[in-house]
């Protein structure tokens, strides 16, 4: 551990040496090397998260240069290679693992099971629901976020405790649309998401747990909607019997 590198956060009692060790021991999978994913990568690498996995199968195109992890010289390069190169240069103490593949039914469980927490930063509804199913079944927490123009949303799902994506959206998410994206909105949503990841890894209460945060750039407001379980949820209900196995996250003990 390089204590001087992380000294600015370690002076906070919520971090400290013990907290820094927790971050160093942790693995986070970021699905989507997008504009949201970019800011998240920098935030988590800055904080010293020991292992950052990145899953994306696309190459960097000109329209992707709104994502601060990709430079003009990366045009035509796999996004995961472009992102891994920057993160390794930014923080050589961390382990960066590129997964140059789309998350699908054949690989979702194998890849997700390697990490402590997942970040879902894609607009693709099929991928989102697949990741939701895999995380609930594996008991992996995940943070999801997306933007739509000047509005961004973010939420934290703790399987068998909070509602999942299918509780909120039903069995099918709205079809994918080519939303406009503003970097400031993406960065704000990513900051909210990365805070939730760090809170979880530090065993601190996760402010986003069970809520959907809605950030509106035009009104400079963040609204919180408390989510409720859907009793006939096709994802949560199938794993209801395993609920007792996943009750070790207790805010009262923090
Ligand atoms: Zn559910």
């Amino acid at each position: 551990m390089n204590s001087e590198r992380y000294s600015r956060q370690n002076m906070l009692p919520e971090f400290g040496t013990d907290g820094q060790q927790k971050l160093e021991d942790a693995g986070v999978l970021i699905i989507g090397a997008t504009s949201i994913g970019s800011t998240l990568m920098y935030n988590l690498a800055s904080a010293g998260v020991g292992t950052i996995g990145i899953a994306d199968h696309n190459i960097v195109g000109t329209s992707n240069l709104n994502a601060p992890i990709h430079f003009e010289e990366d045009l035509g390069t796999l996004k995961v290679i472009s992102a891994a190169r920057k993160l390794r240069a930014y923080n050589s103490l961390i382990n960066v693992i590129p997964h140059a593949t789309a998350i699908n039914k054949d690989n979702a469980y194998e890849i997700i099971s390697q990490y402590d927490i997942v970040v879902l930063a894609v607009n693709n509804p099929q991928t989102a629901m697949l990741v939701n199913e895999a995380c609930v079944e594996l008991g992996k927490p995940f943070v999801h976020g997306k933007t739509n123009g000047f509005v961004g949303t973010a939420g934290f799902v703790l399987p068998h405790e909070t509602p999942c994506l299918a509780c909120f959206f039903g069995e099918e998410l709205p079809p994918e649309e080519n939303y406009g994206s503003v970097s400031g909105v993406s960065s704000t949503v990513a900051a909210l998401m990365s805070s939730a990841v760090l809170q979880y890894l530090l065993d601190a209460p996760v402010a986003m747990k069970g809520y959907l945060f809605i950030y509106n750039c035009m009104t400079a407001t963040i609204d919180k909607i408390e989510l409720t379980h859907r009793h006939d949820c096709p994802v949560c209900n199938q794993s209801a019997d395993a609920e007792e196995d996943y009750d070790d996250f207790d805010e009262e003990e923090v």
Side-chain angles (χ1 to χ4, degrees), residues 9 15 29 42 52 56 63 68-69 77 98 105 133 168 172 202 207 213 218 232-233 238 252:
Q9 65 189 31
F15 282 80
L29 174 65
Y42 281 129
I52 298 177
D56 200 307
S63 66
I69 202 81
T77 305
K105 287 185 177 179
E133 283 184 36
F168 184 64
E172 292 187 13
L202 292 168
F213 281 23
M218 302 303 276
D232 61 346
C233 173
Q238 292 178 2
E252 300 301 318

Side-chain angles (χ1 to χ4, degrees), residues 19 22-23 26-28 49 116-117 196-204:
K22 289 177 182 175
L23 298 183
V28 180
V49 170
D116 298 303
I117 183 170
V197 172
L198 295 178
Q199 286 164 358
Y200 175 78
L201 295 178
L202 292 168
D203 295 322

Side-chain angles (χ1 to χ4, degrees), residues 132 163-167 229-230 233 235-237:
N132 180 63
C164 77
L165 276 185
C167 287
H229 279 285
R230 188 176 142 199
C233 173
V235 178
C236 288
N237 280 350

Side-chain angles (χ1 to χ4, degrees), residues 6-251:
Y6 305 117
S7 60
R8 296 304 173 111
Q9 65 189 31
N10 285 346
M11 67 175 63
L12 301 169
E14 290 80 359
F15 282 80
T17 306
D18 290 346
Q20 194 62 53
Q21 189 62 53
K22 289 177 182 175
L23 298 183
E24 189 171 317
D25 294 340
V28 180
L29 174 65
I30 298 173
I31 301 174
T34 60
S35 51
I36 288 179
S38 292
T39 303
L40 265 156
M41 291 173 205
Y42 281 129
N43 287 355
L44 299 182
S46 169
V49 170
T51 300
I52 298 177
I54 311 164
D56 200 307
H57 67 291
N58 290 313
I59 63 171
V60 179
T62 305
S63 66
N64 302 129
L65 295 178
N66 68 337
I69 202 81
H70 303 305
F71 301 169
E72 291 180 1
E73 66 190 26
D74 301 314
L75 289 170
T77 305
L78 277 164
K79 287 181 179 177
V80 291
I81 301 302
S82 164
R85 192 158 53 211
K86 311 310 183 328
L87 288 189
R88 288 166 179 154
Y90 180 54
N91 189 347
S92 61
L93 301 176
I94 65 172
N95 184 28
V96 182
I97 303 175
H99 300 276
T101 178
I103 296 294
N104 55 50
K105 287 185 177 179
D106 295 328
N107 63 22
Y109 290 77
E110 188 255 327
I111 294 176
I112 288 172
S113 63
Q114 300 172 34
Y115 296 89
D116 298 303
I117 183 170
V118 175
V119 171
L120 179 60
V122 296
N123 277 340
N124 182 305
Q126 287 77 30
T127 302
M129 294 313 285
L130 175 61
V131 170
N132 180 63
E133 283 184 36
C135 284
V136 170
E137 189 165 333
L138 293 168
K140 295 285 184 187
F142 71 99
V143 182
H144 57 90
K146 63 193 298 186
T147 64
N148 181 3
F150 297 107
V151 175
T153 59
F156 176 86
V157 175
L158 188 64
H160 312 292
E161 185 168 331
T162 71
C164 77
L165 276 185
C167 287
F168 184 64
F169 291 106
E171 295 182 46
E172 292 187 13
L173 290 179
E176 184 177 14
E177 296 180 32
N178 190 18
Y179 297 125
S181 177
V182 182
S183 61
V185 178
S186 302
S187 299
T188 303
V189 170
L192 294 170
M193 295 168 72
S194 57
S195 294
V197 172
L198 295 178
Q199 286 164 358
Y200 175 78
L201 295 178
L202 292 168
D203 295 322
V206 181
M208 193 182 284
K209 187 172 81 170
Y211 288 91
L212 188 71
F213 281 23
I214 305 172
Y215 169 65
N216 188 322
C217 169
M218 302 303 276
T219 56
T221 54
I222 298 175
D223 295 317
K224 293 166 61 177
I225 296 177
E226 187 169 6
L227 304 178
T228 56
H229 279 285
R230 188 176 142 199
H231 295 299
D232 61 346
C233 173
V235 178
C236 288
N237 280 350
Q238 292 178 2
S239 304
D241 292 341
E243 187 165 350
E244 290 184 2
D245 296 335
Y246 297 95
D247 64 355
D248 56 344
F249 185 83
D250 186 349
E251 290 186 11

